[in-house]
């Protein structure tokens, strides 16, 4: 094509479109076995751009090669001058563009790999904690019931009442039972199970051959079984949890609960802009839960096999019936395994878009350059037409040594383009440094703004926005796990009088003192304190006994009332009114309703004389 008058750059692009890309496609499909259409597109585009990059560099090197290296005896059809100018112009644009794009794209790909690895790791840790909490929550229920039977003797009727009550409070539990010291089932829950037991023979009520009896009996500790399929309850996976109880320090039997694991669907899948799928197996690799899109059968054996892959060095790859997935895994204390998976396509979307954007941009630039060059070349070729006339009329013209170029003007254009390219690269380098500096400053400013948006400047505790953002999530988790919570709202009594009598600076000292007292008293990770606005504060307490919550709030009120604030030569004393609303049994309440109830109780404290705590519960 070059010998027929095509400029080398255009010939190279045509070669890749007609021959290079189809061969690359076949090679990738049959030799590497890559099935991702997005990744195949990236490979082919990158090969095309690499080819154009190499040919562009070679075209720039050609003038510097010794003349004897050229085959001047070969008859060449020289291209038009406009094509020569077009080639040099495009090469000057292509080389820096391709180099910068490839470098930035590779850096972006590495960053995307690191982000994907970190996200899958964080999600794996999160789901591991959910799994651990789900099992531990029910294990504690069984342990508590066994401890209840161990603390004091109960008759059979009382034990049955405890058993039925525990079963009703835990919806994920299929059934529960109590045995005596020899493994004979005394009672069961729900009531239908208890009624069925009454009609069974003594041998049918013996469970002394079951692991959930033998392990607590022999080791005096609780036991969590491997996953198995529930009989009579569909295909849901279940697990048995048991614990021993004692009478007069002697083994007296076990308490056992059969836990339904179907609710692992609470995992969901994915985060914004990045789809994450989940697989959960027990210690023997039996499938407990898998995201629906993966089409895996519950209770089937799942042992992932890592395979060689070309997507990333950061993460291993496994193959499922639905395709290839990058993954990370974690193991819980009980040997359960958590796998978080994501499609490799998420890593290359931005990479592919960068290439497509570059190609579209270059096509637009090439069209503009071609139009300009055609106009410009006419001005250059006009002096050449005079030479042609001399030649046609047999007038002598100066002879010059043969060269790979047909005119001296091209060499001048080449030198000018080289200078322009040098200035462009210098400008791009300076511009990139400025962009990086401004980006750094912007990130630092954003970090400061993010902190200011959730923190009260005066007290250095949460403001209303920061409190609501964190507590809404904590409240949802507490409700999901049936954890008692208390919401309390505090208000400084007669705060306007403080400002009017001693000034706003004194008022600020009072506000700071209240915040410091709250931070001293409520400093667990599950406790949140905030300045809700003006002289109003709010506290969220999760976990523990709500009576202790109220005791802590009452102690806070007394500490504030007894605290003396020294301001200049004055001593200031203040009191606070508190409204506290607790949720213990009925967990069907919204966050806004919880705040509203606490606010009503605060109003009650203020209308009842102030400097007091009004509390209620649900």
């Amino acid at each position: 094509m070059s010998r027929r008058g095509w400029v080398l750059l255009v010939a190279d692009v045509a070669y890749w479109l007609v021959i290079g890309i189809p061969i690359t496609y076949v090679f990738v499909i049959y030799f590497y076995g890559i099935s991702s259409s997005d990744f195949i597109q990236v490979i082919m585009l990158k090969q095309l751009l690499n080819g154009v990059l190499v040919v562009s560099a070679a075209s720039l090197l050609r003038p510097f090669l010794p003349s004897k290296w050229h085959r001047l005896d070969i008859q060449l059809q020289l291209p038009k001058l406009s094509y020569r100018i077009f080639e040099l112009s495009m090469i000057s644009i292509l080389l820096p563009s391709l180099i910068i794009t490839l470098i930035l794209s590779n850096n972006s790909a590495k960053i995307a790999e690191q982000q994907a690895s970190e996200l899958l790791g964080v999600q794996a840790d999160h789901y591991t904690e959910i799994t651990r909490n789900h099992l531990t929550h029910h294990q504690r229920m069984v342990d508590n019931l066994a401890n209840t039977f161990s603390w004091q003797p109960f008759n059979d009727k009382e034990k049955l009442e405890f058993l039925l009550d525990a079963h009703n409070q835990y919806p994920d539990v299929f059934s529960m039972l109590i045995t005596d010291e020899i493994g004979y089932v005394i009672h069961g829950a729900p009531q239908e199970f208890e009624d069925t037991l009454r009609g069974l023979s003594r041998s049918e009520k013996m469970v002394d051959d079951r692991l959930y009896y033998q392990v607590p009996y022999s080791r005096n500790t609780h036991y969590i079984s491997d996953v198995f399929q529930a009989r009579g309850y569909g295909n849901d996976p279940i697990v048995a949890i048991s614990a021993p109880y004692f009478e007069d320090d002697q083994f007296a039997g076990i308490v056992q609960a059969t836990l339904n694991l179907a609710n692992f669907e609470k995992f969901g899948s994915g985060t914004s802009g990045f789809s994450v799928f989940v697989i959960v197996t027990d210690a023997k690799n039996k499938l407990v839960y898998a995201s629906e899109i993966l089409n895996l059968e519950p209770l089937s054996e799942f042992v992932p096999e890592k395979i060689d892959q070309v997507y990333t060095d950061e993460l291993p790859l496994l193959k499922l019936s639905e395709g290839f997935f990058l993954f990370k895994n974690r193991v819980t204390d009980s040997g359960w395994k958590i796998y978080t998976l994501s499609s490799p396509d998420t890593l290359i979307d931005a990479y592919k878009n960068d290439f497509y954007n570059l190609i579209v941009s270059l096509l637009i630039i090439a069209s503009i350059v071609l139009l300009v060059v055609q106009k410009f070349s006419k001005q250059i070729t006009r002096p050449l037409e005079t030479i042609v006339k001399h030649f046609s009329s047999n007038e002598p013209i100066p002879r010059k040594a043969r060269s790979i170029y047909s005119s001296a003007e091209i060499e001048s254009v080449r030198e000018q383009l080289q200078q322009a390219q040098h200035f462009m690269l210098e400008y791009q380098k300076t511009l990139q440094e400025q962009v990086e500096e401004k980006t750094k400053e912007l990130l630092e400013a954003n970090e400061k703004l993010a902190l200011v948006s959730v923190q009260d400047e005066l007290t250095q505790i949460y403001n209303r926005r920061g409190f609501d953002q964190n507590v809404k999530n904590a409240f949802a988790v507490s409700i999901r796990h049936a954890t008692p919570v208390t919401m309390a709202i505090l208000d400084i009594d007669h705060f306007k009088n403080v400002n009017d009598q001693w000034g706003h600076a004194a008022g600020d000292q009072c506000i700071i003192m209240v915040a410091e007292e709250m931070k001293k008293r409520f400093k667990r990770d599950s406790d949140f304190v905030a300045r809700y606005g003006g002289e109003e504060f709010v506290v969220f307490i999760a976990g523990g006994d709500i009576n202790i919550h109220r005791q802590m709030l009452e102690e806070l009120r007394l500490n504030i009332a007894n605290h003396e604030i020294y301001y200049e030569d004055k001593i200031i004393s203040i009191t606070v009114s508190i409204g506290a609303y607790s949720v213990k049994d009925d967990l069907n309440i919204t966050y806004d309703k919880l705040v509203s109830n606490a606010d009503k109780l605060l109003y009650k404290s203020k209308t009842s004389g102030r400097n007091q705590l009004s509390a209620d519960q649900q």
Side-chain angles (χ1 to χ4, degrees):
M1 294 174 71
S2 179
R3 291 174 186 173
R4 292 178 179 272
W6 290 58
V7 295
L8 194 57
L9 181 61
V10 176
D12 180 64
V13 173
Y15 159 78
W16 276 103
L17 293 176
V18 177
I19 300 175
I21 288 181
I23 292 177
T24 302
Y25 177 82
V26 173
F27 189 80
V28 168
I29 291 293
Y30 289 100
F31 287 87
Y32 280 96
I34 297 175
S35 60
S36 169
S37 60
D38 287 341
F39 194 58
I40 292 174
Q41 291 179 47
V42 169
I43 293 175
M44 292 190 296
L45 288 173
K46 193 170 182 179
Q47 290 301 315
L48 168 62
L49 295 178
N50 282 339
V52 173
L53 177 65
V54 171
V55 169
S56 298
S59 298
L60 286 179
L61 289 175
R62 289 177 68 190
F64 300 97
L65 298 178
S67 300
K68 61 182 180 181
W69 288 14
H70 296 283
R71 294 286 303 277
L72 299 179
D73 56 326
I74 298 178
Q75 295 296 323
L76 299 178
Q77 183 177 342
L78 296 176
K80 294 181 179 180
L81 181 60
S82 60
Y83 294 166
R84 289 286 196 189
I85 299 174
F86 170 76
E87 180 184 36
L88 289 174
S89 301
M90 286 303 302
I91 287 174
S92 298
I93 297 172
L94 278 173
L95 267 179
S97 301
L98 289 176
I99 292 173
I100 292 173
T101 300
L102 290 175
I103 292 175
L104 294 180
S105 297
N106 286 334
N107 291 338
S108 299
K110 292 179 181 178
I111 293 173
E113 291 173 13
Q114 294 173 357
Q115 291 176 341
S117 177
E118 292 174 0
L119 179 59
L120 287 177
V122 169
Q123 293 292 332
D125 293 336
H126 171 66
Y127 295 136
T128 300
E129 186 65 21
I130 291 179
T131 304
R132 183 185 297 112
N133 290 342
H134 189 67
L135 294 175
T136 302
H137 177 61
H138 292 86
Q139 172 199 313
R140 288 175 179 170
M141 179 272 291
V142 175
D143 288 343
N144 290 338
L145 191 56
N147 291 335
T148 300
F149 294 158
S150 300
W151 288 334
Q152 66 179 75
F154 293 97
N155 58 42
D156 286 351
K157 182 179 179 181
E158 291 172 328
K159 290 181 179 178
L160 177 59
E161 290 177 354
F162 276 112
L163 193 68
L164 292 173
D165 182 61
H167 179 269
N168 289 333
Q169 293 184 29
Y170 290 82
D172 290 339
V173 175
F174 273 143
S175 63
M176 300 182 67
L177 59 84
I178 308 172
T179 75
D180 60 12
E181 70 277 3
I182 64 173
Y184 176 73
V185 178
I186 302 173
H187 290 297
Q191 186 64 51
E192 293 83 356
F193 184 29
E194 172 69 12
D195 296 339
T196 301
L197 285 175
R198 295 174 183 172
L200 299 179
S201 64
R202 180 176 181 81
S203 61
E204 291 176 316
K205 296 182 182 180
M206 294 298 295
V207 294
D208 57 337
D209 60 335
R210 309 292 175 86
L211 279 175
Y212 62 74
Y213 169 81
Q214 293 176 349
V215 173
Y217 171 74
S218 61
R219 300 180 183 176
N220 289 336
T221 185
H222 60 248
Y223 168 73
I224 300 178
S225 74
D226 294 321
V227 175
F228 57 95
Q229 184 174 340
R231 297 178 181 175
Y233 294 94
N235 297 322
D236 291 337
I238 64 173
V239 65
I241 302 175
S242 59
Y245 68 94
F246 304 87
E247 295 179 1
D248 297 329
D249 295 329
Q250 298 295 322
F251 177 80
I254 68 164
V255 178
Q256 184 260 5
T258 303
L259 176 61
N260 177 17
L261 299 178
N263 285 342
F264 270 91
E265 293 178 0
K266 66 183 72 174
F267 279 157
S269 67
T271 58
S272 176
F274 195 92
S275 296
V276 176
F277 310 108
V278 187
I279 295 175
V280 182
T281 70
D282 66 4
K284 292 187 177 180
N285 298 317
K286 288 185 179 179
L287 190 67
V288 176
Y289 169 80
S291 297
E292 184 176 354
I293 195 173
L294 301 178
N295 290 328
L296 298 177
E297 289 294 329
L299 296 175
S300 61
E301 185 177 9
F302 178 78
V303 180
E305 180 181 354
K306 298 180 182 179
I307 61 176
D308 294 334
Q309 51 105 355
V310 294
Y311 298 104
T312 170
D313 296 328
E314 291 283 335
L315 294 166
L317 188 76
L318 62 84
K319 182 178 182 181
L320 300 177
S321 59
E322 298 303 315
F324 294 93
F325 294 91
L326 305 171
F327 76 97
K328 274 199 170 184
N329 70 292
R330 298 287 188 270
V331 181
T332 67
D333 298 338
S334 56
W336 286 34
K337 302 177 182 65
I338 314 296
Y339 301 87
T340 49
L341 301 82
S342 178
S343 170
D345 289 345
T346 57
L347 296 179
I348 58 180
D349 285 340
Y351 205 49
K352 179 184 68 176
N353 292 336
D354 287 344
F355 285 152
Y356 276 124
N357 292 336
L358 175 64
I359 290 175
V360 171
S361 301
L362 291 178
L363 288 176
I364 295 173
I365 293 173
S367 301
I368 297 174
V369 170
L370 184 58
L371 291 174
V372 173
V373 164
Q374 286 179 339
K375 255 323 201 187
F376 180 66
S377 64
K378 290 181 180 179
Q379 299 177 3
I380 297 178
T381 55
R382 283 172 185 170
L384 298 180
E385 293 176 355
T386 303
I387 298 176
V388 173
K389 290 179 181 180
H390 282 287
F391 182 81
S392 300
S393 61
N394 293 324
E395 295 180 3
I397 59 174
R399 295 180 58 86
K400 293 185 179 180
R402 295 188 61 182
S403 171
I404 59 173
Y405 290 106
S406 59
S407 67
E409 290 83 358
I410 294 178
E411 184 66 18
S412 175
V413 170
R414 180 187 66 80
E415 293 174 357
Q416 294 178 27
L417 288 177
Q418 282 184 331
Q419 293 176 2
Q421 181 187 51
H422 172 74
F423 291 136
M424 183 175 65
L425 289 175
E426 289 295 323
Y427 174 75
Q428 289 176 343
K429 181 179 178 181
T430 303
L431 183 61
Q432 183 176 358
E433 291 175 352
Q434 293 175 349
V435 169
E436 290 175 353
E437 182 180 355
K438 295 298 181 183
T439 301
K440 182 179 179 182
E441 294 175 357
L442 181 61
L443 290 175
E444 293 175 351
N446 287 339
E447 290 177 358
K448 293 180 180 178
L449 287 174
L451 180 60
V452 169
S453 68
V454 299
Q455 189 178 74
D456 180 61
E457 184 176 1
L458 179 62
T459 62
Q460 302 303 307
I461 61 177
Y462 282 124
N463 59 20
R464 182 167 187 164
R465 179 182 179 186
F467 181 82
D468 286 341
Q469 285 179 353
N470 287 274
V471 172
K472 283 183 179 179
N473 293 332
F475 174 72
V477 172
S478 298
I479 292 299
R480 187 181 308 123
H481 296 291
T483 302
V485 299
T486 297
M487 178 70 75
I489 302 179
L490 295 75
D491 190 82
I492 301 176
D493 298 328
H494 303 298
F495 184 71
K496 184 176 183 300
N497 294 340
V498 175
N499 284 333
D500 293 342
Q501 186 174 357
W502 290 293
H504 289 281
D508 289 346
Q509 292 301 314
C510 296
I511 289 174
I512 292 172
M513 182 275 286
V514 173
E516 291 298 326
E517 290 295 327
M518 292 172 68
K519 287 192 288 186
K520 291 177 184 177
R521 179 120 348 238
F522 303 102
K523 53 188 178 182
R524 301 182 307 164
D525 291 340
S526 58
D527 297 337
F528 296 88
V529 298
R531 183 184 178 191
Y532 224 45
E535 69 273 18
E536 191 174 58
F537 298 82
V538 64
V539 180
F540 178 81
I541 315 168
D545 191 341
I546 61 173
N547 292 323
I548 296 178
H549 298 178
R550 295 176 182 176
Q551 180 181 345
M552 295 171 69
L553 291 168
E554 179 63 19
E555 291 174 356
L556 173 65
R557 183 188 67 80
L558 292 173
N559 285 350
I560 293 173
N562 295 328
H563 196 104
E564 294 181 341
I565 302 170
Y566 296 92
Y567 178 72
E568 295 180 352
D569 57 346
K570 308 174 186 66
I571 298 177
I572 305 173
S573 296
I574 61 172
T575 62
V576 294
S577 298
I578 305 176
Y581 191 80
S582 302
V583 178
K584 178 182 179 183
D585 299 320
D586 184 2
L587 303 177
N588 187 20
I589 185 173
T590 65
Y591 175 76
D592 292 336
K593 183 64 176 176
L594 182 68
V595 175
S596 175
N597 289 345
D599 193 51
K600 291 177 181 178
L601 290 169
L602 172 63
Y603 180 76
K604 178 180 177 182
S605 295
K606 296 178 76 69
T607 56
S608 300
R610 293 184 169 86
N611 190 23
Q612 58 183 277
L613 166 66
S614 297
D616 197 0
Q617 72 179 61
Q618 172 174 305

Coordinates of all heavy atoms in Angstrom, one line a residue, residues 124 127-128 131-132 135 226-227 264 267 278-290 301-304 327-341:
A124 N -16.5 -8.8 51.9 CA -16.3 -10.1 52.5 C -16.2 -10.0 54.0 O -16.9 -10.8 54.7 CB -15.0 -10.8 51.9
Y127 N -19.9 -9.3 55.2 CA -20.8 -10.4 55.2 C -20.3 -11.5 56.2 O -21.2 -12.2 56.7 CB -20.8 -11.0 53.7 CG -21.4 -10.1 52.7 CD1 -20.8 -10.0 51.5 CD2 -22.6 -9.4 53.0 CE1 -21.4 -9.1 50.5 CE2 -23.1 -8.5 52.1 CZ -22.5 -8.4 50.9 OH -23.1 -7.5 49.9
T128 N -19.0 -11.6 56.4 CA -18.5 -12.5 57.4 C -19.1 -12.1 58.8 O -19.5 -13.0 59.6 CB -17.0 -12.5 57.5 OG1 -16.5 -12.9 56.2 CG2 -16.5 -13.4 58.5
T131 N -22.7 -13.1 59.0 CA -22.9 -14.5 59.2 C -22.6 -14.9 60.6 O -23.3 -15.6 61.3 CB -21.9 -15.3 58.3 OG1 -22.2 -14.9 56.9 CG2 -22.1 -16.8 58.4
R132 N -21.5 -14.3 61.1 CA -21.1 -14.6 62.5 C -22.2 -14.1 63.5 O -22.6 -14.8 64.4 CB -19.8 -13.9 62.8 CG -19.2 -14.3 64.2 CD -18.0 -13.5 64.6 NE -16.9 -13.8 63.7 CZ -16.4 -13.0 62.7 NH1 -16.9 -11.8 62.6 NH2 -15.4 -13.4 62.0
L135 N -25.4 -16.5 63.5 CA -25.3 -17.7 64.2 C -25.1 -17.4 65.7 O -25.7 -18.1 66.6 CB -24.1 -18.5 63.7 CG -24.2 -19.0 62.3 CD1 -22.9 -19.7 61.9 CD2 -25.3 -20.0 62.2
D226 N -23.1 -28.9 61.2 CA -23.0 -28.5 59.8 C -24.4 -28.3 59.2 O -25.4 -28.7 59.7 CB -22.3 -29.6 59.0 CG -20.8 -29.8 59.5 OD1 -20.2 -28.7 59.7 OD2 -20.3 -30.9 59.6
V227 N -24.4 -27.7 58.0 CA -25.7 -27.4 57.3 C -26.3 -28.7 56.7 O -25.6 -29.5 56.2 CB -25.5 -26.4 56.2 CG1 -26.8 -26.1 55.5 CG2 -25.0 -25.1 56.8
F264 N -30.6 -15.8 54.7 CA -29.4 -15.2 54.3 C -29.6 -14.4 53.0 O -28.7 -13.7 52.6 CB -28.3 -16.3 54.0 CG -27.5 -16.6 55.2 CD1 -27.9 -17.7 56.1 CD2 -26.4 -15.9 55.5 CE1 -27.2 -18.0 57.2 CE2 -25.6 -16.3 56.6 CZ -26.0 -17.3 57.4
F267 N -28.5 -10.6 52.4 CA -27.2 -10.1 51.9 C -27.5 -9.1 50.7 O -26.8 -8.1 50.6 CB -26.4 -11.3 51.4 CG -25.6 -12.0 52.5 CD1 -25.2 -13.3 52.3 CD2 -25.4 -11.3 53.7 CE1 -24.5 -13.9 53.3 CE2 -24.7 -12.0 54.7 CZ -24.2 -13.2 54.5
V278 N -22.6 -12.8 46.4 CA -22.1 -13.5 47.7 C -22.4 -15.0 47.6 O -23.4 -15.4 47.1 CB -22.9 -12.9 48.9 CG1 -22.3 -13.4 50.2 CG2 -22.8 -11.4 48.9
I279 N -21.5 -15.8 48.2 CA -21.6 -17.2 48.3 C -21.2 -17.5 49.8 O -20.2 -17.1 50.3 CB -20.8 -18.0 47.4 CG1 -21.3 -17.8 45.9 CG2 -20.8 -19.5 47.7 CD1 -20.4 -18.5 44.9
V280 N -22.1 -18.3 50.5 CA -21.8 -18.7 51.9 C -21.8 -20.2 51.9 O -22.8 -20.8 51.5 CB -22.8 -18.1 52.9 CG1 -22.5 -18.5 54.3 CG2 -22.9 -16.6 52.7
T281 N -20.8 -20.8 52.5 CA -20.7 -22.3 52.7 C -20.4 -22.6 54.1 O -19.9 -21.7 54.9 CB -19.7 -23.0 51.8 OG1 -18.4 -22.6 52.2 CG2 -19.9 -22.5 50.3
D282 N -20.8 -23.8 54.6 CA -20.4 -24.2 55.9 C -19.0 -24.8 55.9 O -18.3 -24.7 54.9 CB -21.4 -25.2 56.5 CG -21.4 -26.5 55.8 OD1 -20.6 -26.7 54.9 OD2 -22.2 -27.4 56.1
A283 N -18.6 -25.3 57.1 CA -17.2 -25.8 57.2 C -16.9 -27.0 56.3 O -15.8 -27.3 56.0 CB -17.0 -26.2 58.7
K284 N -18.0 -27.7 55.8 CA -17.8 -28.8 54.9 C -18.1 -28.4 53.5 O -18.4 -29.3 52.6 CB -18.6 -30.0 55.3 CG -18.2 -30.6 56.7 CD -19.0 -31.9 57.0 CE -18.5 -32.5 58.3 NZ -19.2 -33.8 58.6
N285 N -18.1 -27.1 53.2 CA -18.2 -26.6 51.8 C -19.6 -26.8 51.3 O -19.8 -26.8 50.0 CB -17.2 -27.2 50.9 CG -15.8 -26.8 51.3 OD1 -15.5 -25.7 51.7 ND2 -14.9 -27.7 51.2
K286 N -20.6 -27.1 52.1 CA -22.0 -27.1 51.6 C -22.6 -25.7 51.5 O -22.4 -24.9 52.3 CB -22.9 -27.9 52.6 CG -22.6 -29.4 52.6 CD -23.6 -30.1 53.6 CE -23.3 -31.6 53.6 NZ -24.3 -32.4 54.5
L287 N -23.2 -25.5 50.3 CA -23.7 -24.2 50.0 C -24.9 -23.8 50.9 O -25.9 -24.4 50.9 CB -24.1 -24.1 48.5 CG -24.4 -22.8 48.0 CD1 -23.1 -22.0 47.9 CD2 -25.0 -22.9 46.6
V288 N -24.7 -22.7 51.7 CA -25.7 -22.2 52.5 C -26.5 -21.1 51.8 O -27.8 -21.1 51.8 CB -25.1 -21.6 53.8 CG1 -26.2 -20.9 54.7 CG2 -24.3 -22.6 54.6
Y289 N -25.8 -20.2 51.1 CA -26.5 -19.2 50.4 C -25.7 -18.7 49.2 O -24.4 -18.7 49.3 CB -26.8 -17.9 51.3 CG -27.2 -16.7 50.5 CD1 -28.5 -16.6 50.1 CD2 -26.3 -15.7 50.2 CE1 -28.9 -15.5 49.4 CE2 -26.7 -14.6 49.5 CZ -28.0 -14.5 49.1 OH -28.4 -13.4 48.4
A290 N -26.3 -18.4 48.1 CA -25.7 -17.8 46.9 C -26.6 -16.7 46.3 O -27.8 -16.9 46.3 CB -25.3 -18.8 45.9
E301 N -22.2 -29.1 47.1 CA -20.9 -28.8 47.5 C -20.2 -27.7 46.6 O -20.3 -27.8 45.4 CB -20.0 -30.1 47.4 CG -18.6 -29.9 47.9 CD -17.8 -31.2 47.9 OE1 -18.3 -32.2 47.3 OE2 -16.7 -31.3 48.4
F302 N -19.6 -26.8 47.2 CA -19.0 -25.7 46.5 C -17.5 -25.6 46.9 O -17.2 -25.2 48.1 CB -19.7 -24.3 46.8 CG -19.1 -23.2 46.1 CD1 -19.3 -22.9 44.7 CD2 -18.2 -22.3 46.8 CE1 -18.7 -21.9 44.1 CE2 -17.6 -21.2 46.2 CZ -17.9 -21.0 44.8
V303 N -16.6 -25.9 46.0 CA -15.2 -25.8 46.3 C -14.6 -25.0 45.1 O -14.4 -25.6 44.0 CB -14.5 -27.2 46.4 CG1 -13.0 -27.0 46.7 CG2 -15.1 -28.0 47.5
P304 N -14.3 -23.7 45.2 CA -13.9 -22.9 44.1 C -12.5 -23.4 43.6 O -11.6 -23.7 44.4 CB -13.9 -21.5 44.6 CG -13.7 -21.7 46.1 CD -14.4 -22.9 46.5
F327 N -12.8 -12.9 42.8 CA -13.4 -13.1 44.1 C -12.4 -13.0 45.2 O -11.2 -13.0 45.0 CB -14.0 -14.6 44.2 CG -13.0 -15.7 44.3 CD1 -12.7 -16.2 45.5 CD2 -12.3 -16.2 43.2 CE1 -11.7 -17.2 45.7 CE2 -11.4 -17.2 43.3 CZ -11.1 -17.7 44.6
K328 N -12.9 -12.8 46.4 CA -12.2 -12.8 47.7 C -13.0 -13.7 48.7 O -14.2 -13.7 48.5 CB -11.9 -11.4 48.2 CG -10.6 -10.8 47.7 CD -10.1 -9.7 48.5 CE -8.7 -9.2 48.1 NZ -8.2 -8.2 49.0
N329 N -12.3 -14.3 49.6 CA -13.0 -15.1 50.6 C -12.5 -14.8 52.0 O -11.4 -14.4 52.2 CB -13.0 -16.6 50.2 CG -11.6 -17.1 50.4 OD1 -10.6 -16.8 49.7 ND2 -11.4 -18.0 51.4
R330 N -13.4 -15.1 53.0 CA -13.1 -15.1 54.4 C -13.6 -16.3 55.1 O -14.5 -17.0 54.5 CB -13.7 -13.8 55.1 CG -13.2 -12.5 54.5 CD -11.8 -12.2 55.0 NE -11.4 -10.9 54.6 CZ -10.8 -10.6 53.5 NH1 -10.5 -11.5 52.6 NH2 -10.4 -9.3 53.2
V331 N -13.0 -16.7 56.2 CA -13.5 -17.8 57.0 C -13.9 -17.4 58.4 O -13.1 -16.6 59.0 CB -12.3 -18.9 57.1 CG1 -12.8 -20.1 57.9 CG2 -11.9 -19.3 55.7
T332 N -15.1 -17.8 58.8 CA -15.5 -17.4 60.2 C -14.9 -18.3 61.2 O -14.2 -19.3 60.9 CB -17.0 -17.5 60.3 OG1 -17.4 -18.9 60.2 CG2 -17.7 -16.7 59.1
D333 N -15.1 -18.0 62.5 CA -14.6 -18.7 63.6 C -15.1 -20.2 63.6 O -14.4 -21.1 64.0 CB -15.0 -18.1 64.9 CG -14.4 -16.7 65.1 OD1 -13.4 -16.4 64.4 OD2 -15.0 -15.9 65.8
S334 N -16.3 -20.4 63.1 CA -16.9 -21.7 63.0 C -16.5 -22.5 61.7 O -17.0 -23.6 61.5 CB -18.4 -21.7 63.2 OG -18.9 -20.8 62.2
G335 N -15.6 -21.9 60.9 CA -15.2 -22.6 59.7 C -16.1 -22.3 58.5 O -15.8 -22.8 57.4
W336 N -17.1 -21.5 58.6 CA -17.9 -21.1 57.4 C -17.1 -20.2 56.5 O -16.3 -19.4 57.0 CB -19.2 -20.4 57.9 CG -20.2 -21.4 58.5 CD1 -19.9 -22.5 59.2 CD2 -21.6 -21.3 58.4 NE1 -21.1 -23.1 59.6 CE2 -22.1 -22.4 59.1 CE3 -22.5 -20.4 57.8 CZ2 -23.5 -22.6 59.3 CZ3 -23.8 -20.6 57.9 CH2 -24.3 -21.7 58.7
K337 N -17.3 -20.3 55.2 CA -16.6 -19.5 54.3 C -17.5 -18.5 53.5 O -18.6 -18.9 53.1 CB -15.9 -20.5 53.2 CG -15.0 -21.5 53.9 CD -14.4 -22.4 52.8 CE -13.5 -23.5 53.5 NZ -14.3 -24.4 54.4
I338 N -17.0 -17.3 53.4 CA -17.8 -16.3 52.7 C -17.0 -15.9 51.5 O -15.8 -15.5 51.6 CB -17.9 -15.0 53.6 CG1 -18.4 -15.5 55.0 CG2 -18.9 -14.0 53.0 CD1 -19.7 -16.1 55.1
Y339 N -17.6 -15.9 50.3 CA -17.0 -15.5 49.1 C -17.8 -14.3 48.5 O -19.0 -14.3 48.4 CB -17.1 -16.6 48.0 CG -16.4 -17.9 48.4 CD1 -17.1 -18.9 49.2 CD2 -15.1 -18.2 48.1 CE1 -16.5 -20.1 49.6 CE2 -14.4 -19.3 48.5 CZ -15.1 -20.3 49.2 OH -14.5 -21.4 49.6
T340 N -17.0 -13.3 48.1 CA -17.6 -12.1 47.4 C -17.0 -12.1 46.0 O -15.8 -12.2 45.8 CB -17.3 -10.8 48.1 OG1 -15.9 -10.7 48.4 CG2 -18.0 -10.7 49.5
L341 N -17.9 -12.0 45.0 CA -17.6 -12.1 43.6 C -18.0 -10.9 42.9 O -19.0 -10.2 43.2 CB -18.2 -13.3 43.0 CG -17.9 -14.7 43.6 CD1 -18.8 -15.0 44.8 CD2 -18.2 -15.8 42.6

